[in-house]
Amino acid sequence: MRIAVTGAAHWHLDLFLPALLEEGDVVAVHDPDPAAARRIAEGLGARAATDVGTLLDDAAPDFVLALGAHDEMAATARTLIEHGTPFAMEKPCGLDAAQVHDIADRARDAGVFAAVPFVWRQSELLAVMRERFADADPPYLSFRWIAGPPTRYRDSGCDWMLDPARAGGGCTINLGVHFIDLARVLFGDDVQVSSATMSNAAYGLPIEDYSLVTLRSGGRVFVGEVGYLMPGPHSNFDMRFSIKARDHYVIATSPTDVEIVAPDGSREHVTAHTTNVAHYPVFVRDALRRVRAGEPPLASLTDMAAVMDLTRDAYALAGPLPVRPRTPQEGTR
């Protein structure tokens, strides 16, 4: 399978790349920054391009992993759909709900495979839960997932993540969408945003560095808490996932451990990957298998559009950020 990557300077490339190289040949790399495109392409022995249409015409890939800045994603998706090229696009696939609904409708009407890596759908944590109870059983779920500081985006050359005009927002649109999607998986389509609180107090940037969103479906409640607050390298998290289901209580406090409290109070520890990082290879292999088999994606642009509707509602409820953004001279502390 001939594979291409667009927007390859995105910091998530390394999460996808090993599985892509196992599954096929990466023949072309795109990035609007010529130096980044050449650097990444040379490392892979692939051709480089700064225009998505040119890359598709010259390399004729069988599948594209579409990364890149959020404000460029919708245009990239339209080009991929016009070419009829199967692709997977990193969330959020656009700046707002209107953009994502547009490309979702285009992909559906054209019959183009368009997957979104909502990797918690394929997580070992969800598998552990489903071994013990049905999706309809949990009345209460709380997911706290605090990632590293926003300075990591500058360190990786992705400064655009700190500009709401290019990123669409901060940790809510980048991290929180995973849990909004998971709420839809477990609760069904009848999900509403009950409350939302966001702040940029930690770093004083134009994007939120902390977000707490409560989702409801009838009496069922899902709490998603995310932030850019944890010092340390990429993929280190302050996390606690708590799920009440029937007579069981499930707790995850590390990327590899799940504790299950039984009705009699006894505790069982299960080794399982609980965060997103370990599941990107699973997503890649599954998406490519589905392309080869002619099957639809597990999560599509239509799912992303529904998540973006809820994300829009969360931002509206949260209101303006409370802290004046710092000037470039002030930087981040």
Side-chain angles (χ1 to χ4, degrees):
M1 179 174 275
R2 295 171 58 83
I3 298 170
V5 181
T6 64
H10 192 286
W11 72 98
H12 271 186
L13 176 61
D14 289 345
L15 297 177
F16 294 97
L17 192 55
L20 288 174
L21 294 172
E22 290 174 3
E23 293 288 323
D25 297 319
V26 177
V27 297
V29 168
H30 156 274
D31 197 86
D33 178 353
R38 286 194 301 272
R39 171 177 54 81
I40 298 168
E42 287 172 2
L44 295 170
R47 68 178 69 190
T50 57
D51 177 76
V52 175
T54 300
L55 174 142
L56 297 177
D57 291 338
D58 291 349
D62 303 310
F63 179 84
V64 169
L65 171 66
L67 305 174
H70 299 172
D71 63 331
E72 299 167 355
M73 285 180 162
T76 295
R78 287 192 291 271
T79 301
L80 290 165
I81 293 164
E82 289 167 2
H83 280 73
T85 305
F87 66 97
M89 177 165 277
E90 182 59 276
K91 44 72 186 164
C93 305
L95 281 175
D96 54 38
Q99 286 188 356
V100 182
H101 274 285
D102 174 66
I103 59 175
D105 291 345
R106 291 169 183 257
R108 180 202 61 214
D109 294 345
V112 174
F113 182 97
V116 178
F118 280 136
V119 294
W120 259 282
R121 292 188 179 212
Q122 293 159 300
S123 70
E124 294 178 5
L125 172 64
L126 189 58
V128 167
M129 292 166 57
R130 285 173 166 168
E131 286 173 1
R132 290 158 175 81
F133 40 78
D135 288 358
D137 287 338
Y140 171 78
L141 305 95
S142 174
F143 279 61
R144 172 182 171 84
W145 193 47
I146 306 298
T151 49
R152 63 197 171 111
Y153 297 116
R154 286 183 177 154
D155 294 342
S156 63
C158 297
D159 301 54
W160 57 265
M161 276 292 292
L162 309 181
D163 179 0
R166 300 205 65 199
C171 57
T172 310
I173 199 171
N174 183 37
L175 306 179
V177 290
H178 279 294
F179 302 123
I180 294 173
D181 179 69
L182 188 56
R184 292 187 65 248
V185 169
L186 296 169
F187 289 174
D189 291 333
D190 183 25
V191 177
Q192 296 179 332
V193 179
S194 178
S195 65
T197 300
M198 301 177 196
S199 178
N200 62 340
Y203 292 93
L205 293 168
I207 55 153
E208 76 278 6
D209 49 47
Y210 174 82
S211 173
L212 177 64
V213 176
T214 303
L215 305 164
R216 296 190 66 169
S217 177
R220 306 173 74 193
V221 176
F222 192 119
V223 179
E225 182 181 12
V226 296
Y228 296 148
L229 308 176
M230 181 74 174
H234 182 66
S235 300
N236 278 9
F237 307 107
D238 167 22
M239 56 167 287
R240 183 182 177 93
F241 304 159
S242 304
I243 302 104
K244 168 67 175 172
R246 294 199 316 234
D247 295 329
H248 289 78
Y249 198 78
V250 179
I251 307 166
T253 57
S254 85
T256 57
D257 182 69
V258 179
E259 184 178 22
I260 303 160
V261 184
D264 62 1
S266 61
R267 295 171 179 257
E268 174 191 5
H269 283 266
V270 176
T271 299
H273 291 294
T274 61
T275 64
N276 62 332
V277 175
H279 298 104
Y280 285 94
V282 178
F283 166 81
V284 168
R285 289 190 285 268
D286 177 71
L288 294 178
R289 181 196 65 77
R290 289 170 182 269
V291 169
R292 294 180 184 113
E295 298 176 4
L298 181 63
S300 68
L301 284 176
T302 300
D303 295 304
M304 185 74 249
V307 168
M308 288 293 278
D309 286 340
L310 294 168
T311 305
R312 173 201 60 210
D313 295 346
Y315 276 114
L317 277 173
L321 293 172
V323 177
R324 174 187 67 84
R326 295 166 186 257
T327 66
Q329 289 75 23
E330 291 174 302
T332 60
R333 63 175 184 263

